[in-house]
Amino acid sequence: MPVDKNKRTTSDADLSRSKSETPSLPDQHTFHEHLRALIRNAVRVVIEEVMREELEQFLGAAWGESTSERKGYRNGTYTRDLATSSGPIEDLQVPRDRDGDFHTQVFDRYSRYEPHIAEGLTQMFVAGVSTQKVGEVAETLTGVTPSASAVSRLNHTLTQQFEAWRERPLQAHWRILYLDGVYFTARHGDQTDSTVLLTALGVDLDGNKEVLALRACAKESKDGWSCLLQDVRQRGATQIDLIVTDGHEGILSAVTALFAATPRQRCVVHKQRNVMNAIPHRERKEVSTELSGIFKQEKKEDAVLNLAAFKAKYQKRYPEAIRSLCEDEAHLLTYYDFPLVMHRYIRTTNAIESFFSNVRQRTDQIDTFTTETSCLTIVWATMQDIHLPRIPVS
């Protein structure tokens, strides 16, 4: 049921508690410090993996392997620190051999090529942890390309940050939840096809935006949206004042099943596009002005009158357009049950579309993502550096 606009949806105590519990979005400095920490961790993983392979080549045998070419034996590790442009790395595990003849070349090479290596590792986070880039960085350190298994281990370590983000707990109460699917191109086996990232973008009680969940699917469906919404609920987000969606049947079915009592707003931009598709080009300018004017009224009563007049005027001339307009009509004007200052922000899903417009600007050099997982990782890494503006929520 729609929320009474004269009735408070949360108590002062709840609002105060939510404000104190709500984590703020990272500012530019905080993000760069986080990225520097990721780079230091990546440097540690790369260097330690490279040194293990360097010792393996020196000894002529892998761990536990018995070969005629073996030249010696391992003797554990010792620790040392390394100063880098991204900050100090402490207690690196440096392998050694029993006779003390092995001397790694990694540190000399790292010092010589540090700017190139740091740049490469940064690109790994921003460009989806490219296997090729991992190999290039490691080759810079040792002069040889690491094995596929070594690259696989490195990739696994670096994606742990993304998995931690996906599983993080969420606060219970959100003012707005935007839902929309955004399409990218990814490789599925030997074929290239569309992949949709189902996205849940939340707005807390202070107006701060946060991407709550991402899910990659071959196409939008009730099952996909149900899994995403169930994930959001299981991680703690159980009270939502308004859900904003387009008219996809999969979204509507999932929302009805999992958030039946939550008011829903149908995106009026999507609705206007659907209606205008049934209007001849010669009349679209005039009709579009009338249609958009319905949703810009300050009072709901005026919007209802304009909506009724529009339907009466065009019912006989363009019945298909009016049929489209009447679909989900009950949720077209839900935003009027919220404060006027919120209207322009909650009558569309533009919050998600605007966000992904920024994501695409940073990933437009990638024509096709190698996998759905890499697509998710790239979007996650890229969105860390995108400022999400606050919106008024009361």
Side-chain angles (χ1 to χ4, degrees), residues 2-218:
V3 178
D4 185 345
K5 62 183 177 182
N6 295 317
K7 182 178 180 181
R8 295 179 63 88
T9 59
T10 182
S11 68
D12 291 338
D14 290 339
L15 182 58
S16 176
R17 182 167 57 253
S18 297
K19 286 184 177 180
S20 63
E21 295 175 354
T22 300
S24 60
L25 292 174
D27 57 24
Q28 193 78 355
H29 173 74
T30 302
F31 167 74
H32 284 298
E33 286 301 310
H34 176 65
L35 185 58
R36 281 161 60 88
L38 290 177
I39 293 171
R40 288 196 299 273
N41 181 57
V43 170
R44 175 191 296 277
V45 173
V46 169
I47 285 180
E48 290 182 350
E49 183 63 42
V50 166
M51 287 191 295
R52 284 191 290 268
E53 293 211 352
E54 197 177 24
L55 178 60
E56 180 178 316
Q57 293 178 10
F58 176 81
L59 297 177
W63 180 274
E65 183 182 14
S66 178
T67 67
S68 58
E69 291 80 17
R70 176 182 284 278
K71 302 174 183 177
Y73 296 89
R74 290 169 176 78
N75 188 31
T77 62
Y78 68 93
T79 62
R80 64 155 287 178
D81 299 340
L82 177 66
T84 78
S85 59
S86 299
I89 302 176
E90 299 177 347
D91 297 329
L92 275 165
Q93 301 295 312
V94 183
R96 57 189 174 188
D97 68 316
R98 188 175 298 176
D99 296 331
D101 295 330
F102 170 71
H103 299 286
T104 178
Q105 301 298 309
V106 165
F107 300 113
D108 289 340
R109 287 180 177 271
Y110 182 86
S111 298
R112 193 181 314 161
Y113 299 111
E114 182 183 8
H116 172 75
I117 293 167
E119 179 185 358
L121 290 168
T122 302
Q123 290 179 19
M124 287 161 59
F125 287 106
V126 176
V129 196
S130 162
T131 299
Q132 179 181 357
K133 181 58 67 177
V134 176
E136 291 175 0
V137 171
E139 185 174 9
T140 299
L141 285 172
T142 65
V144 297
T145 302
S147 65
S149 61
V151 172
S152 177
R153 289 194 297 273
L154 176 60
N155 282 343
H156 176 72
T157 301
L158 298 179
T159 55
Q160 287 178 345
Q161 291 282 342
F162 172 58
E163 293 302 324
W165 175 85
R166 294 181 72 174
E167 298 172 2
R168 76 199 188 285
L170 301 173
Q171 67 185 61
H173 191 178
W174 295 85
R175 189 65 164 140
I176 310 164
L177 180 67
Y178 298 94
L179 301 175
D180 203 0
V182 183
Y183 284 83
F184 292 89
T185 302
R187 186 170 298 281
H188 299 82
D190 296 332
Q191 296 183 340
T192 297
D193 204 350
S194 293
T195 287
V196 60
L197 294 190
L198 308 184
T199 305
L201 175 67
V203 179
D204 67 18
L205 301 184
D206 292 328
N208 299 309
K209 295 177 185 175
E210 179 182 346
V211 176
L212 306 187
L214 293 170
R215 181 179 177 83
C217 298

Side-chain angles (χ1 to χ4, degrees), residues 1 8 26 53 57 84 95 109 139 176 202 226 270 276 325 331 356 372:
M1 296 293 293
R8 295 179 63 88
E53 293 211 352
Q57 293 178 10
T84 78
R109 287 180 177 271
E139 185 174 9
I176 310 164
S226 295
H270 285 86
M276 295 310 299
L325 179 61
H331 297 99
F356 272 97
E372 289 183 348

Side-chain angles (χ1 to χ4, degrees), residues 374-394:
S374 72
C375 184
L376 278 171
T377 306
I378 291 168
V379 169
W380 168 76
T382 303
M383 75 185 192
Q384 304 303 310
D385 199 23
I386 297 176
H387 173 66
L388 291 171
R390 293 175 70 254
I391 69 171
V393 291
S394 61

